[in-house]
Amino acid sequence: MKLNRRFAMASAAAAALACVLPLSAQAQAWPAKTIRFVVPFAPGGANDLMARAAAEGAAKVLGQPVIIDNRPGAGGSLGADLVARSAPDGYTFLISAAGVISNSMIKKSLPFKDEDLVPAVMIGLAPSVVVVPKSAPYNNLRDFVEASKKGVGFNFATAGTGSTPHFVAEMLNVKYGAKLQPVPYKSGSESTTAVLGGQVEGTSEASIIALPHIRGDGKFKALATTWTQRISAYPELSTAVEQGFADLQIAHWAGLHAPRGTPDDILDKLAAAVDKAMREPATVAKLKGLGIEPIGGTRQEFVKFTDAERKRLGEIVKAAQMQEK
């Protein structure tokens, strides 16, 4: 009886070891082929541009090609679902944005669970800029917020429910008593067109989209950036924090998430490669020139960031009742 029990225990241990060894060997050999970054948005936006910069830099470090696969749709959920259902072998990653955190709080249902995707590394961020038409009488964010409190309030264009501009509007409403009515559009380009056309009083958009209309054709007036630091490419614009809005801190960020079960060794190697890419002088100069701030960092730092954002954004979702009806 004792012999049989010992034999069973030894067999179980051997089976467990057999399961572990392939993963360990796989992680040590990684990468052995092309890696895919799934971008859940159309080409040309901030998320896509950061993805391409990270892919190019990481490919040089890792010694294998990194391709971009654009899968737009459903506010980023289409691409996220594809990655969540992919094999956790280190060859398919999601270029993630705030929606990977907030969509489950807002949408009625998703085809995957939050825990099906795990954070790997931050790539960078495009600070959000609150803008109004050039002819608007507001010279800063305080003027705009105070004016919105009068009468019926202002219409505020967003790129859809749960988008960064939507959160900007609700943060101003919840924390500072603004009267902003979010008006959803299909994309950031459509919402900026609505501001230029006078259909809405303002919006908040990624620096890479807003800056050409501020410095280029001059059709926008910038009121504040909503990140914690000034934009490298537009340092004369003050932050919302500097203007007295301490709780208005949000940006259009991009990171990398992996299917649950991807070995830690692989995630750490990817994080190190992206971090190195985001420190390359040529990449830094290119991204900052577009209004994008390269970040990089470790996997642990990205996990800490996403955990904090989940808590912070969740409070706004609940207070503003942003859930889909």
mmCIF file of all heavy atoms in Angstrom, residues 73-78 99-112 159-163 317 322-325:
data_model
loop_
_atom_site.group_PDB
_atom_site.id
_atom_site.type_symbol
_atom_site.label_atom_id
_atom_site.label_comp_id
_atom_site.label_asym_id
_atom_site.label_seq_id
_atom_site.Cartn_x
_atom_site.Cartn_y
_atom_site.Cartn_z
ATOM 1 N N GLY A 73 -12.228 47.852 -33.963
ATOM 2 C CA GLY A 73 -13.624 47.482 -33.778
ATOM 3 C C GLY A 73 -14.014 47.332 -32.329
ATOM 4 O O GLY A 73 -13.198 46.944 -31.490
ATOM 5 N N ALA A 74 -15.259 47.701 -32.039
ATOM 6 C CA ALA A 74 -15.849 47.525 -30.707
ATOM 7 C C ALA A 74 -15.035 48.214 -29.623
ATOM 8 O O ALA A 74 -14.864 47.677 -28.521
ATOM 9 C CB ALA A 74 -16.018 46.044 -30.384
ATOM 10 N N GLY A 75 -14.529 49.405 -29.917
ATOM 11 C CA GLY A 75 -13.800 50.161 -28.915
ATOM 12 C C GLY A 75 -12.537 49.493 -28.426
ATOM 13 O O GLY A 75 -12.113 49.695 -27.288
ATOM 14 N N GLY A 76 -11.929 48.694 -29.280
ATOM 15 C CA GLY A 76 -10.714 47.984 -28.913
ATOM 16 C C GLY A 76 -10.947 46.562 -28.450
ATOM 17 O O GLY A 76 -9.997 45.787 -28.305
ATOM 18 N N SER A 77 -12.199 46.187 -28.234
ATOM 19 C CA SER A 77 -12.504 44.859 -27.684
ATOM 20 C C SER A 77 -12.288 43.741 -28.695
ATOM 21 O O SER A 77 -12.000 42.604 -28.314
ATOM 22 C CB SER A 77 -13.946 44.809 -27.173
ATOM 23 O OG SER A 77 -14.122 45.698 -26.092
ATOM 24 N N LEU A 78 -12.415 44.043 -29.981
ATOM 25 C CA LEU A 78 -12.246 43.017 -31.006
ATOM 26 C C LEU A 78 -10.811 42.489 -30.994
ATOM 27 O O LEU A 78 -10.568 41.277 -30.943
ATOM 28 C CB LEU A 78 -12.591 43.585 -32.380
ATOM 29 C CG LEU A 78 -12.626 42.582 -33.543
ATOM 30 C CD1 LEU A 78 -13.743 41.570 -33.335
ATOM 31 C CD2 LEU A 78 -12.841 43.326 -34.873
ATOM 32 N N GLY A 99 -8.894 51.312 -22.500
ATOM 33 C CA GLY A 99 -10.064 50.452 -22.633
ATOM 34 C C GLY A 99 -9.862 49.053 -22.094
ATOM 35 O O GLY A 99 -10.823 48.397 -21.677
ATOM 36 N N VAL A 100 -8.612 48.572 -22.068
ATOM 37 C CA VAL A 100 -8.366 47.231 -21.545
ATOM 38 C C VAL A 100 -8.672 47.176 -20.051
ATOM 39 O O VAL A 100 -8.918 46.109 -19.482
ATOM 40 C CB VAL A 100 -6.897 46.810 -21.821
ATOM 41 C CG1 VAL A 100 -5.938 47.419 -20.831
ATOM 42 C CG2 VAL A 100 -6.759 45.288 -21.825
ATOM 43 N N ILE A 101 -8.692 48.348 -19.423
ATOM 44 C CA ILE A 101 -9.048 48.463 -18.009
ATOM 45 C C ILE A 101 -10.512 48.821 -17.826
ATOM 46 O O ILE A 101 -11.226 48.226 -17.024
ATOM 47 C CB ILE A 101 -8.174 49.539 -17.328
ATOM 48 C CG1 ILE A 101 -6.719 49.093 -17.282
ATOM 49 C CG2 ILE A 101 -8.681 49.849 -15.915
ATOM 50 C CD1 ILE A 101 -5.770 50.167 -16.820
ATOM 51 N N SER A 102 -10.981 49.800 -18.608
ATOM 52 C CA SER A 102 -12.297 50.381 -18.344
ATOM 53 C C SER A 102 -13.454 49.705 -19.065
ATOM 54 O O SER A 102 -14.606 49.830 -18.631
ATOM 55 C CB SER A 102 -12.284 51.876 -18.709
ATOM 56 O OG SER A 102 -11.991 52.054 -20.081
ATOM 57 N N ASN A 103 -13.205 49.001 -20.165
ATOM 58 C CA ASN A 103 -14.316 48.428 -20.936
ATOM 59 C C ASN A 103 -15.190 47.490 -20.114
ATOM 60 O O ASN A 103 -16.415 47.493 -20.229
ATOM 61 C CB ASN A 103 -13.795 47.700 -22.175
ATOM 62 C CG ASN A 103 -13.472 48.634 -23.322
ATOM 63 O OD1 ASN A 103 -13.891 49.789 -23.320
ATOM 64 N ND2 ASN A 103 -12.723 48.164 -24.302
ATOM 65 N N SER A 104 -14.566 46.693 -19.263
ATOM 66 C CA SER A 104 -15.344 45.741 -18.466
ATOM 67 C C SER A 104 -16.202 46.449 -17.423
ATOM 68 O O SER A 104 -17.204 45.889 -16.954
ATOM 69 C CB SER A 104 -14.422 44.737 -17.775
ATOM 70 O OG SER A 104 -13.561 45.400 -16.862
ATOM 71 N N MET A 105 -15.827 47.663 -17.050
ATOM 72 C CA MET A 105 -16.606 48.436 -16.077
ATOM 73 C C MET A 105 -17.827 49.084 -16.737
ATOM 74 O O MET A 105 -18.809 49.382 -16.068
ATOM 75 C CB MET A 105 -15.757 49.554 -15.476
ATOM 76 C CG MET A 105 -14.445 49.141 -14.867
ATOM 77 S SD MET A 105 -13.537 50.630 -14.359
ATOM 78 C CE MET A 105 -11.936 49.946 -13.951
ATOM 79 N N ILE A 106 -17.719 49.317 -18.053
ATOM 80 C CA ILE A 106 -18.716 50.132 -18.750
ATOM 81 C C ILE A 106 -19.636 49.304 -19.639
ATOM 82 O O ILE A 106 -20.842 49.506 -19.653
ATOM 83 C CB ILE A 106 -17.998 51.206 -19.590
ATOM 84 C CG1 ILE A 106 -17.254 52.181 -18.669
ATOM 85 C CG2 ILE A 106 -18.981 51.966 -20.476
ATOM 86 C CD1 ILE A 106 -16.337 53.138 -19.392
ATOM 87 N N LYS A 107 -19.073 48.392 -20.402
ATOM 88 C CA LYS A 107 -19.861 47.636 -21.376
ATOM 89 C C LYS A 107 -20.694 46.556 -20.698
ATOM 90 O O LYS A 107 -20.311 46.008 -19.669
ATOM 91 C CB LYS A 107 -18.944 47.022 -22.435
ATOM 92 C CG LYS A 107 -18.220 48.064 -23.280
ATOM 93 C CD LYS A 107 -17.368 47.405 -24.343
ATOM 94 C CE LYS A 107 -16.677 48.449 -25.203
ATOM 95 N NZ LYS A 107 -17.637 49.251 -25.979
ATOM 96 N N LYS A 108 -21.844 46.260 -21.303
ATOM 97 C CA LYS A 108 -22.747 45.253 -20.746
ATOM 98 C C LYS A 108 -22.079 43.895 -20.673
ATOM 99 O O LYS A 108 -22.235 43.146 -19.712
ATOM 100 C CB LYS A 108 -24.012 45.165 -21.603
ATOM 101 C CG LYS A 108 -24.943 46.372 -21.500
ATOM 102 C CD LYS A 108 -26.176 46.159 -22.365
ATOM 103 C CE LYS A 108 -27.137 47.331 -22.260
ATOM 104 N NZ LYS A 108 -28.336 47.144 -23.116
ATOM 105 N N SER A 109 -21.344 43.549 -21.716
ATOM 106 C CA SER A 109 -20.677 42.252 -21.732
ATOM 107 C C SER A 109 -19.479 42.298 -22.663
ATOM 108 O O SER A 109 -19.456 43.076 -23.618
ATOM 109 C CB SER A 109 -21.638 41.143 -22.189
ATOM 110 O OG SER A 109 -22.076 41.377 -23.514
ATOM 111 N N LEU A 110 -18.499 41.457 -22.367
ATOM 112 C CA LEU A 110 -17.317 41.305 -23.194
ATOM 113 C C LEU A 110 -17.078 39.820 -23.424
ATOM 114 O O LEU A 110 -17.427 38.998 -22.574
ATOM 115 C CB LEU A 110 -16.096 41.923 -22.514
ATOM 116 C CG LEU A 110 -16.027 43.453 -22.422
ATOM 117 C CD1 LEU A 110 -14.841 43.869 -21.559
ATOM 118 C CD2 LEU A 110 -15.924 44.091 -23.796
ATOM 119 N N PRO A 111 -16.478 39.454 -24.545
ATOM 120 C CA PRO A 111 -16.256 38.033 -24.824
ATOM 121 C C PRO A 111 -15.086 37.435 -24.048
ATOM 122 O O PRO A 111 -14.790 36.258 -24.200
ATOM 123 C CB PRO A 111 -15.975 38.020 -26.329
ATOM 124 C CG PRO A 111 -15.403 39.372 -26.610
ATOM 125 C CD PRO A 111 -16.125 40.310 -25.687
ATOM 126 N N PHE A 112 -14.425 38.248 -23.235
ATOM 127 C CA PHE A 112 -13.294 37.762 -22.444
ATOM 128 C C PHE A 112 -13.326 38.436 -21.080
ATOM 129 O O PHE A 112 -14.044 39.415 -20.866
ATOM 130 C CB PHE A 112 -11.965 38.063 -23.148
ATOM 131 C CG PHE A 112 -11.735 39.535 -23.382
ATOM 132 C CD1 PHE A 112 -11.033 40.309 -22.478
ATOM 133 C CD2 PHE A 112 -12.242 40.150 -24.516
ATOM 134 C CE1 PHE A 112 -10.844 41.672 -22.688
ATOM 135 C CE2 PHE A 112 -12.045 41.509 -24.749
ATOM 136 C CZ PHE A 112 -11.355 42.273 -23.822
ATOM 137 N N ALA A 159 -14.697 60.264 -28.247
ATOM 138 C CA ALA A 159 -14.484 59.216 -29.245
ATOM 139 C C ALA A 159 -15.281 57.966 -28.881
ATOM 140 O O ALA A 159 -14.923 56.858 -29.272
ATOM 141 C CB ALA A 159 -13.003 58.892 -29.360
ATOM 142 N N GLY A 160 -16.357 58.137 -28.135
ATOM 143 C CA GLY A 160 -17.215 57.025 -27.746
ATOM 144 C C GLY A 160 -17.235 56.795 -26.248
ATOM 145 O O GLY A 160 -16.424 57.344 -25.505
ATOM 146 N N THR A 161 -18.176 55.985 -25.812
ATOM 147 C CA THR A 161 -18.328 55.681 -24.392
ATOM 148 C C THR A 161 -17.076 55.017 -23.836
ATOM 149 O O THR A 161 -16.587 54.028 -24.383
ATOM 150 C CB THR A 161 -19.532 54.749 -24.177
ATOM 151 O OG1 THR A 161 -20.705 55.371 -24.684
ATOM 152 C CG2 THR A 161 -19.721 54.457 -22.698
ATOM 153 N N GLY A 162 -16.546 55.580 -22.764
ATOM 154 C CA GLY A 162 -15.372 55.021 -22.136
ATOM 155 C C GLY A 162 -14.051 55.485 -22.715
ATOM 156 O O GLY A 162 -12.988 55.078 -22.240
ATOM 157 N N SER A 163 -14.105 56.338 -23.737
ATOM 158 C CA SER A 163 -12.869 56.861 -24.324
ATOM 159 C C SER A 163 -12.232 57.865 -23.368
ATOM 160 O O SER A 163 -12.857 58.333 -22.414
ATOM 161 C CB SER A 163 -13.159 57.535 -25.668
ATOM 162 O OG SER A 163 -14.009 58.661 -25.483
ATOM 163 N N VAL A 317 -16.285 55.924 -13.115
ATOM 164 C CA VAL A 317 -17.356 55.186 -13.787
ATOM 165 C C VAL A 317 -18.579 55.074 -12.880
ATOM 166 O O VAL A 317 -19.722 55.302 -13.304
ATOM 167 C CB VAL A 317 -16.875 53.775 -14.196
ATOM 168 C CG1 VAL A 317 -18.062 52.903 -14.630
ATOM 169 C CG2 VAL A 317 -15.860 53.874 -15.321
ATOM 170 N N MET A 322 -21.397 55.711 -15.793
ATOM 171 C CA MET A 322 -20.990 55.572 -17.181
ATOM 172 C C MET A 322 -21.351 54.216 -17.782
ATOM 173 O O MET A 322 -21.134 53.978 -18.976
ATOM 174 C CB MET A 322 -19.474 55.803 -17.302
ATOM 175 C CG MET A 322 -19.047 57.217 -17.000
ATOM 176 S SD MET A 322 -17.227 57.403 -16.879
ATOM 177 C CE MET A 322 -16.697 57.039 -18.541
ATOM 178 N N GLN A 323 -21.884 53.292 -16.987
ATOM 179 C CA GLN A 323 -22.184 51.966 -17.498
ATOM 180 C C GLN A 323 -23.233 52.021 -18.602
ATOM 181 O O GLN A 323 -24.172 52.823 -18.547
ATOM 182 C CB GLN A 323 -22.690 51.048 -16.375
ATOM 183 C CG GLN A 323 -21.683 50.814 -15.277
ATOM 184 C CD GLN A 323 -21.771 51.822 -14.145
ATOM 185 O OE1 GLN A 323 -22.386 52.894 -14.294
ATOM 186 N NE2 GLN A 323 -21.186 51.500 -13.004
ATOM 187 N N GLU A 324 -23.067 51.160 -19.605
ATOM 188 C CA GLU A 324 -24.049 51.063 -20.671
ATOM 189 C C GLU A 324 -25.370 50.548 -20.112
ATOM 190 O O GLU A 324 -25.392 49.617 -19.310
ATOM 191 C CB GLU A 324 -23.557 50.130 -21.774
ATOM 192 C CG GLU A 324 -22.400 50.683 -22.587
ATOM 193 C CD GLU A 324 -21.977 49.764 -23.709
ATOM 194 O OE1 GLU A 324 -22.384 48.579 -23.689
ATOM 195 O OE2 GLU A 324 -21.250 50.195 -24.604
ATOM 196 N N LYS A 325 -26.437 51.179 -20.528
ATOM 197 C CA LYS A 325 -27.761 50.768 -20.034
ATOM 198 C C LYS A 325 -28.265 49.545 -20.787
ATOM 199 O O LYS A 325 -27.935 49.329 -21.921
ATOM 200 C CB LYS A 325 -28.746 51.929 -20.204
ATOM 201 C CG LYS A 325 -28.305 53.204 -19.470
ATOM 202 C CD LYS A 325 -28.283 52.975 -17.965
ATOM 203 C CE LYS A 325 -28.038 54.277 -17.213
ATOM 204 N NZ LYS A 325 -26.642 54.771 -17.361
#
